[in-house]
Structure formats: structure tokens, C-alpha cells
Amino acid sequence: MKIIQPDEGEIFDIELDVDILRRNRELADENRRILDEHDIVAVDVMGSVAAGKTSLIVQLTRLLKGKHRIAAFAGDTTTTIDAELIEEAGADVLEINTGKECHLDANLVRKALQSIDLDQFDVLLIENVGNIICPADFPLGSHKRLVVISLTDGPYVVMKHPFVFQDAEVAVINKVDLAQATGISPDKLETQLLEVKPSLKVVRMNSLTGEGAARLASALDL
Amino acid sequence: MKIIQPDEGEIFDIELDVDILRRNRELADENRRILDEHDIVAVDVMGSVAAGKTSLIVQLTRLLKGKHRIAAFAGDTTTTIDAELIEEAGADVLEINTGKECHLDANLVRKALQSIDLDQFDVLLIENVGNIICPADFPLGSHKRLVVISLTDGPYVVMKHPFVFQDAEVAVINKVDLAQATGISPDKLETQLLEVKPSLKVVRMNSLTGEGAARLASALDL
């Protein structure tokens, strides 16, 4: 087997990235200052298609809405499906449609922060676009980054995508009810996660039933 | 619910994209000419994390290796896991590690084409990186684009990601054995696929057992 690893500049996007990433990081720092000024704790939720980002946010909202005033930003390429589900659960939702973009960025989040009354909220849950490659490079200014993987993401999801976990504080292993149907071991995934980042807090969950939501809230200090 | 839709230029990447996409398209056309000169039929396989791209290519390779000489390009961010599985099945594999990039592009594929003896093959199977947002914008020069979705991609995968299907000729609904465990209906997904693109050829498959592989080969004219 031969392996090709492109040199710098050979991937079309790569030379442009340095400036974009620096500018994004500056804006993320600004977002963090704005959030801190208003005593809002923000969590950025990343995960692949159907990992369970929306239902996890729905469960957190149901659990915490008596304790915190919750805002949510729902990032999605084209639809409002997720935003509607989160709104039903009791959060104030702002939908961010990214069109063809594969990730939120700090600029979009800043625009969203300017669109809500920040004094009305204590917690902000941000749902990123559904994949675990692009969002990793774009911090948004949140206090914690959370990655959701699901047993249906298969046995190699952690090994193939280490970067997204290295920047996260909490990882959720979701759909633990499907261990038998998928033949995927939650134990193995947890071991792999902790190899990538030993300080990661790992929570097992079934985001459809809400099992594990209280443990997740605790891991997020919410 | 409020909705934010960024204006052009508000997403960091977007202004750069026009030139990049044009250049990619030119290189894709060149790749196509190179493939045609050597009588190679190329298929580009896209799908989210764990949709089953690798096992689908493995099944196609097992089925067709007596009839065609098969080369495969395995695109992956960091690992050679997929490439090894495809090689075991009987294809000549070239691994393309993209690092942090979320898609293959025509430039990487051209480099890969220059790295193999094109007179030794009739069929080229190209596995893209695992997500269904970024690869859609980057044609590679293949003759057919194939998108794999899985029942574990959930009920909204087609509605949320219409672009990737519009550019494809064939879609696979994979892991049909998990209909009961996931509660997802293959019929509904097929209806949604045909709404997005009525001319799409839709094949149901279980890529672990190989069920549906012959129908897929027929849909791809292989």
C-alpha cells in the first residue's frame, strides 16, 4: 500500500487557513468576554450526523430549565428541524443556517450573541453542524466543548478523528442501548477516548430516553 | 425562533471558495480525461462517519475482482484502517491522508493517479473522507458519484444534506438490518432521496454481509 500525504499548499484550502484560524480565535476570545460579562456559561456541542446532538440538548434543557434560563443556538446547513425540537423542550432558540458550510465559526456566533438579550440567560447551548472534522478547528468562545459520539459511529470513530477530542472537555458515548444491535463496545470507545485525552470526562448516555443526562449535567458543572 | 442566515462574506471561507471551486473543477475535468484515455471507470464514494463506505468498497471488490482489475484510493484524515481492509479484499490500494481536511479534492486525486500504473486497472473506487457536507463541492473527475447513507444516520439525513445527493448518480441505503433497532424506515428514506433527485438510482444494502452488492454493481454499470 502506498500512502500520499499532501505537502503544505497542495490542499487548496490550506494556505488560506492560517489567517482565517487566527481571526476566528480572536473573535472567539471576544465572544468569551461577552459571555463572561453577562455571567453566561456556554457549551459547544459537536458530533457527526445523527450522533444525537439535538436530543442531548433537548434532554439537558428539560433537566435544567427549572434551574437555569437556557438559550440555544442551533447550527444547521439548511433546515430548522433541530431548532424546533429544542424549542419544544423549553429553551429560547436561535437557528443559524450555514448554507453549505460544514461548521459554525466565532463570527456567526458573535452575530447570534448580538441577536439575543444576554441578560435573560444563564446557560447557552450551541449545537454545531453535523460532522467532527471541520468544527474542531473553529473555537466559538464557549467555556466547554462537548463531543457526542454514538455506538452507530462505528469502532474507528475515535481513532480516525483524534483532533476533535483533544480540544474537548467532555465526551458523550451515546446510544448505549444499541450495543448489541451494532456489536460496538462502549468500554473500548471509552478506553480509546482516554488514550487520546486522559483528562476527558466521559459520560455514557441514551439521549432518546434521557438516561445519563444528570451525569452529563454534572460533568459540565451545570 | 429567530433564524440567522449569513450574508455572503460573513462566513470566513466563502469568498475564497469561488476560485478554489473553479480550479478544482478544471482539475476534475483533467482527471476525467486521464481516466478515459486509460479506459478506467471511476466511482467516488461519499458518506458520513460509519455509513459503511469502506465495507461497501470491500464488497464491490470481492464481487468484481474476477471481472475487473480494481484500484482503490482511500481518503482518510489520519489512519490507514480503511485502506488495509480494502487491500485485504483484493484491490490495489493507495491511501490518501488529508490531515485535517474534510474532503478529497481533484488535485489530490490527480497526484494519486500519477502514482499508479494506469494501464493495470479497469475500475477505480475512490473513498472520500467521512462526512457529507464538504465532499459535495469537490468533484474529483469520477464517472459516477455514489452516496452511502445508513439507517443509523437517522431520519433527517436526506432532508438536511440535499446537496450531496443532487450531484450523485447512485445512493445506497445501508444497514437495512438495523431497521427495527433504530426505528428508521428505509421506505421513507428512499422517498426522500427520490424527492431530492428523481433520477437517483437507490440501492438497499447490508454492506457487512454483502446483501445488495450485486444490485449496486448493476446500478453502477460495473
Side-chain angles (χ1 to χ4, degrees):
Chain A
M1 185 197 310
K2 287 188 195 173
I3 302 182
I4 284 187
Q5 280 168 315
D7 302 327
E8 202 163 318
E10 281 199 318
I11 293 185
F12 289 137
D13 318 44
I14 220 158
E15 286 177 281
L16 316 159
D17 272 356
V18 180
D19 280 345
I20 290 175
L21 295 178
R22 186 190 305 126
R23 181 74 186 123
N24 184 77
R25 212 164 277 275
E26 290 166 2
L27 285 169
D29 290 344
E30 281 180 34
N31 290 345
R32 181 66 161 268
R33 277 195 295 277
I34 293 169
L35 291 163
D36 286 342
E37 279 168 20
H38 292 85
D39 289 324
I40 297 175
V41 175
V43 177
D44 166 23
V45 181
M46 298 175 285
S48 199
V49 169
K53 296 179 294 302
T54 304
S55 55
L56 179 154
I57 290 174
V58 163
Q59 296 294 349
L60 276 183
T61 300
R62 286 187 190 151
L63 184 73
L64 298 172
K65 68 181 170 188
K67 185 179 172 190
H68 299 299
R69 297 168 303 168
I70 302 173
F73 294 164
D76 196 291
T77 48
T78 52
T79 75
T80 58
I81 296 168
D82 299 344
E84 286 163 26
L85 292 168
I86 298 168
E87 196 164 57
E88 277 169 31
D92 271 46
V93 181
L94 182 73
E95 163 81 19
I96 306 176
N97 277 346
T98 60
K100 285 188 162 189
E101 282 301 311
C102 55
H103 58 85
L104 292 179
D105 61 45
N107 194 38
L108 288 172
V109 168
R110 195 175 55 160
K111 191 173 181 188
L113 288 173
Q114 289 166 343
S115 306
I116 63 170
D117 181 354
L118 295 168
D119 292 324
Q120 299 302 312
F121 303 103
D122 317 304
V123 170
L124 171 62
L125 304 173
I126 305 172
E127 177 170 349
N128 220 312
V129 181
N131 77 87
I132 50 176
I133 302 173
C134 327
D137 279 337
F138 288 84
L140 305 178
S142 63
H143 297 82
K144 292 205 163 73
R145 303 204 91 181
L146 162 63
V147 192
V148 196
I149 58 171
S150 151
L151 296 199
T152 59
D153 289 338
Y156 306 123
V157 63
V158 179
M159 296 158 71
K160 285 189 181 182
H161 301 283
F163 303 120
V164 74
F165 302 103
Q166 284 161 2
D167 286 335
E169 284 74 35
V170 179
V172 165
I173 300 175
N174 199 11
K175 306 191 190 177
V176 287
D177 55 308
L178 293 179
Q180 201 173 355
T182 59
I184 306 293
S185 156
D187 288 342
K188 277 195 192 157
L189 288 176
E190 180 157 352
T191 302
Q192 292 169 351
L193 284 167
L194 293 173
E195 277 168 10
V196 168
K197 184 169 185 178
S199 66
L200 203 60
K201 292 184 187 175
V202 181
V203 178
R204 297 184 192 196
M205 196 162 171
N206 176 345
S207 64
L208 282 187
T209 63
E211 182 201 331
R215 289 195 301 275
L216 175 59
S218 167
L220 292 167
D221 300 317
L222 292 178
Chain B
M1 182 199 309
K2 287 188 196 173
I3 302 182
I4 284 187
Q5 281 170 313
D7 302 326
E8 202 163 316
E10 280 198 320
I11 294 183
F12 290 137
D13 317 42
I14 222 160
E15 286 177 282
L16 315 159
D17 273 355
V18 180
D19 280 346
I20 290 173
L21 295 179
R22 186 188 308 124
R23 181 73 184 124
N24 184 79
R25 211 163 278 275
E26 290 166 2
L27 284 167
D29 290 345
E30 281 181 35
N31 290 345
R32 180 68 160 269
R33 276 195 294 275
I34 293 169
L35 290 163
D36 287 341
E37 278 168 22
H38 292 85
D39 288 324
I40 296 175
V41 175
V43 178
D44 165 23
V45 181
M46 299 174 285
S48 200
V49 168
K53 296 178 292 303
T54 304
S55 54
L56 179 154
I57 290 174
V58 163
Q59 296 294 351
L60 276 183
T61 301
R62 285 187 191 151
L63 184 73
L64 298 172
K65 68 183 171 188
K67 184 178 172 189
H68 299 297
R69 298 167 303 168
I70 301 174
F73 295 164
D76 196 291
T77 50
T78 52
T79 75
T80 57
I81 295 169
D82 299 343
E84 285 162 26
L85 290 169
I86 298 168
E87 197 165 57
E88 276 169 33
D92 270 48
V93 181
L94 182 73
E95 163 81 19
I96 306 177
N97 277 346
T98 60
K100 286 188 162 191
E101 282 300 311
C102 55
H103 58 87
L104 291 179
D105 61 43
N107 193 39
L108 288 172
V109 168
R110 196 177 54 163
K111 192 173 178 186
L113 288 173
Q114 289 165 344
S115 305
I116 64 171
D117 181 353
L118 294 168
D119 293 323
Q120 299 302 311
F121 304 102
D122 317 303
V123 170
L124 171 63
L125 304 174
I126 306 173
E127 177 170 350
N128 220 311
V129 181
N131 78 86
I132 50 176
I133 302 175
C134 326
D137 279 336
F138 288 84
L140 305 177
S142 62
H143 297 81
K144 292 207 164 69
R145 302 204 90 181
L146 161 65
V147 191
V148 196
I149 59 171
S150 151
L151 295 197
T152 60
D153 288 339
Y156 307 124
V157 63
V158 179
M159 296 158 70
K160 286 188 179 182
H161 302 284
F163 303 118
V164 75
F165 302 103
Q166 284 162 1
D167 286 335
E169 283 74 35
V170 179
V172 165
I173 300 175
N174 198 11
K175 305 191 191 178
V176 287
D177 54 308
L178 292 178
Q180 201 174 356
T182 59
I184 305 294
S185 156
D187 288 341
K188 277 194 192 156
L189 288 175
E190 179 157 351
T191 301
Q192 291 168 353
L193 285 167
L194 294 173
E195 276 168 9
V196 167
K197 185 169 185 178
S199 65
L200 202 60
K201 291 184 187 176
V202 180
V203 177
R204 300 185 189 196
M205 195 163 173
N206 177 344
S207 64
L208 283 187
T209 63
E211 181 200 331
R215 287 194 302 274
L216 174 59
S218 165
L220 291 167
D221 300 317
L222 290 177

mmCIF file of all heavy atoms in Angstrom, chain A residues 62-78:
data_model
loop_
_atom_site.group_PDB
_atom_site.id
_atom_site.type_symbol
_atom_site.label_atom_id
_atom_site.label_comp_id
_atom_site.label_asym_id
_atom_site.label_seq_id
_atom_site.Cartn_x
_atom_site.Cartn_y
_atom_site.Cartn_z
ATOM 1 N N ARG A 62 -34.533 20.002 29.259
ATOM 2 C CA ARG A 62 -35.624 19.521 30.131
ATOM 3 C C ARG A 62 -35.159 19.424 31.574
ATOM 4 O O ARG A 62 -35.859 19.800 32.506
ATOM 5 C CB ARG A 62 -36.101 18.138 29.668
ATOM 6 C CG ARG A 62 -36.928 18.187 28.413
ATOM 7 C CD ARG A 62 -37.503 16.792 28.114
ATOM 8 N NE ARG A 62 -38.098 16.786 26.790
ATOM 9 C CZ ARG A 62 -38.171 15.703 26.011
ATOM 10 N NH1 ARG A 62 -37.696 14.544 26.440
ATOM 11 N NH2 ARG A 62 -38.732 15.774 24.837
ATOM 12 N N LEU A 63 -33.936 18.913 31.753
ATOM 13 C CA LEU A 63 -33.407 18.688 33.100
ATOM 14 C C LEU A 63 -33.114 19.996 33.820
ATOM 15 O O LEU A 63 -33.323 20.114 35.028
ATOM 16 C CB LEU A 63 -32.114 17.867 32.985
ATOM 17 C CG LEU A 63 -31.442 17.427 34.278
ATOM 18 C CD1 LEU A 63 -32.254 16.309 34.934
ATOM 19 C CD2 LEU A 63 -30.013 16.946 34.005
ATOM 20 N N LEU A 64 -32.626 20.994 33.083
ATOM 21 C CA LEU A 64 -32.066 22.183 33.720
ATOM 22 C C LEU A 64 -32.950 23.418 33.628
ATOM 23 O O LEU A 64 -32.616 24.450 34.226
ATOM 24 C CB LEU A 64 -30.698 22.499 33.085
ATOM 25 C CG LEU A 64 -29.617 21.423 33.239
ATOM 26 C CD1 LEU A 64 -28.403 21.776 32.397
ATOM 27 C CD2 LEU A 64 -29.221 21.282 34.710
ATOM 28 N N LYS A 65 -34.059 23.332 32.937
ATOM 29 C CA LYS A 65 -34.799 24.581 32.685
ATOM 30 C C LYS A 65 -35.424 25.161 33.954
ATOM 31 O O LYS A 65 -35.698 26.365 34.006
ATOM 32 C CB LYS A 65 -35.841 24.407 31.586
ATOM 33 C CG LYS A 65 -37.007 23.498 31.922
ATOM 34 C CD LYS A 65 -37.941 23.400 30.713
ATOM 35 C CE LYS A 65 -38.975 22.306 30.948
ATOM 36 N NZ LYS A 65 -39.767 22.041 29.752
ATOM 37 N N GLY A 66 -35.636 24.315 34.992
ATOM 38 C CA GLY A 66 -36.126 24.847 36.261
ATOM 39 C C GLY A 66 -35.039 25.558 37.051
ATOM 40 O O GLY A 66 -35.314 26.372 37.941
ATOM 41 N N LYS A 67 -33.788 25.264 36.721
ATOM 42 C CA LYS A 67 -32.641 25.788 37.474
ATOM 43 C C LYS A 67 -31.957 26.955 36.734
ATOM 44 O O LYS A 67 -31.441 27.876 37.357
ATOM 45 C CB LYS A 67 -31.640 24.631 37.637
ATOM 46 C CG LYS A 67 -30.425 24.909 38.491
ATOM 47 C CD LYS A 67 -29.552 23.623 38.565
ATOM 48 C CE LYS A 67 -28.230 23.874 39.251
ATOM 49 N NZ LYS A 67 -27.305 22.726 39.111
ATOM 50 N N HIS A 68 -31.914 26.869 35.421
ATOM 51 C CA HIS A 68 -31.223 27.883 34.615
ATOM 52 C C HIS A 68 -32.158 28.418 33.527
ATOM 53 O O HIS A 68 -33.054 27.714 33.062
ATOM 54 C CB HIS A 68 -29.994 27.294 33.919
ATOM 55 C CG HIS A 68 -28.948 26.759 34.842
ATOM 56 N ND1 HIS A 68 -28.295 27.541 35.764
ATOM 57 C CD2 HIS A 68 -28.440 25.503 34.985
ATOM 58 C CE1 HIS A 68 -27.418 26.805 36.431
ATOM 59 N NE2 HIS A 68 -27.490 25.558 35.985
ATOM 60 N N ARG A 69 -31.874 29.632 33.094
ATOM 61 C CA ARG A 69 -32.567 30.173 31.910
ATOM 62 C C ARG A 69 -31.688 29.837 30.699
ATOM 63 O O ARG A 69 -30.534 30.270 30.627
ATOM 64 C CB ARG A 69 -32.754 31.679 32.069
ATOM 65 C CG ARG A 69 -33.654 32.043 33.272
ATOM 66 C CD ARG A 69 -33.569 33.532 33.572
ATOM 67 N NE ARG A 69 -32.188 33.940 33.828
ATOM 68 C CZ ARG A 69 -31.775 35.208 33.887
ATOM 69 N NH1 ARG A 69 -32.644 36.188 33.711
ATOM 70 N NH2 ARG A 69 -30.507 35.501 34.122
ATOM 71 N N ILE A 70 -32.224 29.049 29.801
ATOM 72 C CA ILE A 70 -31.400 28.422 28.759
ATOM 73 C C ILE A 70 -31.667 29.000 27.375
ATOM 74 O O ILE A 70 -32.805 29.047 26.916
ATOM 75 C CB ILE A 70 -31.648 26.895 28.716
ATOM 76 C CG1 ILE A 70 -31.320 26.294 30.090
ATOM 77 C CG2 ILE A 70 -30.807 26.234 27.620
ATOM 78 C CD1 ILE A 70 -31.676 24.839 30.221
ATOM 79 N N ALA A 71 -30.581 29.433 26.725
ATOM 80 C CA ALA A 71 -30.649 29.796 25.314
ATOM 81 C C ALA A 71 -29.922 28.712 24.515
ATOM 82 O O ALA A 71 -29.007 28.058 25.019
ATOM 83 C CB ALA A 71 -29.975 31.142 25.076
ATOM 84 N N ALA A 72 -30.338 28.526 23.287
ATOM 85 C CA ALA A 72 -29.649 27.562 22.429
ATOM 86 C C ALA A 72 -29.458 28.164 21.037
ATOM 87 O O ALA A 72 -30.345 28.844 20.523
ATOM 88 C CB ALA A 72 -30.440 26.263 22.335
ATOM 89 N N PHE A 73 -28.282 27.936 20.474
ATOM 90 C CA PHE A 73 -28.037 28.262 19.065
ATOM 91 C C PHE A 73 -27.989 26.927 18.326
ATOM 92 O O PHE A 73 -27.204 26.051 18.690
ATOM 93 C CB PHE A 73 -26.691 28.962 18.863
ATOM 94 C CG PHE A 73 -26.577 30.332 19.492
ATOM 95 C CD1 PHE A 73 -25.326 30.923 19.660
ATOM 96 C CD2 PHE A 73 -27.700 31.041 19.912
ATOM 97 C CE1 PHE A 73 -25.196 32.182 20.238
ATOM 98 C CE2 PHE A 73 -27.583 32.303 20.492
ATOM 99 C CZ PHE A 73 -26.333 32.874 20.658
ATOM 100 N N ALA A 74 -28.812 26.784 17.300
ATOM 101 C CA ALA A 74 -28.838 25.521 16.555
ATOM 102 C C ALA A 74 -28.210 25.736 15.182
ATOM 103 O O ALA A 74 -28.803 26.392 14.330
ATOM 104 C CB ALA A 74 -30.270 25.017 16.414
ATOM 105 N N GLY A 75 -27.018 25.212 14.978
ATOM 106 C CA GLY A 75 -26.343 25.330 13.687
ATOM 107 C C GLY A 75 -26.765 24.196 12.780
ATOM 108 O O GLY A 75 -26.730 23.031 13.167
ATOM 109 N N ASP A 76 -27.160 24.538 11.586
ATOM 110 C CA ASP A 76 -27.613 23.500 10.653
ATOM 111 C C ASP A 76 -27.404 24.052 9.248
ATOM 112 O O ASP A 76 -27.494 25.259 9.023
ATOM 113 C CB ASP A 76 -29.102 23.231 10.894
ATOM 114 C CG ASP A 76 -29.563 21.926 10.268
ATOM 115 O OD1 ASP A 76 -29.610 21.842 9.033
ATOM 116 O OD2 ASP A 76 -29.873 20.996 11.018
ATOM 117 N N THR A 77 -27.123 23.180 8.281
ATOM 118 C CA THR A 77 -26.873 23.689 6.945
ATOM 119 C C THR A 77 -28.117 24.334 6.341
ATOM 120 O O THR A 77 -28.051 25.428 5.793
ATOM 121 C CB THR A 77 -26.367 22.577 6.004
ATOM 122 O OG1 THR A 77 -27.222 21.442 6.155
ATOM 123 C CG2 THR A 77 -24.946 22.179 6.360
ATOM 124 N N THR A 78 -29.265 23.675 6.440
ATOM 125 C CA THR A 78 -30.413 24.183 5.696
ATOM 126 C C THR A 78 -31.748 24.175 6.445
ATOM 127 O O THR A 78 -32.638 24.947 6.106
ATOM 128 C CB THR A 78 -30.638 23.341 4.413
ATOM 129 O OG1 THR A 78 -30.696 21.958 4.797
ATOM 130 C CG2 THR A 78 -29.536 23.543 3.407
#
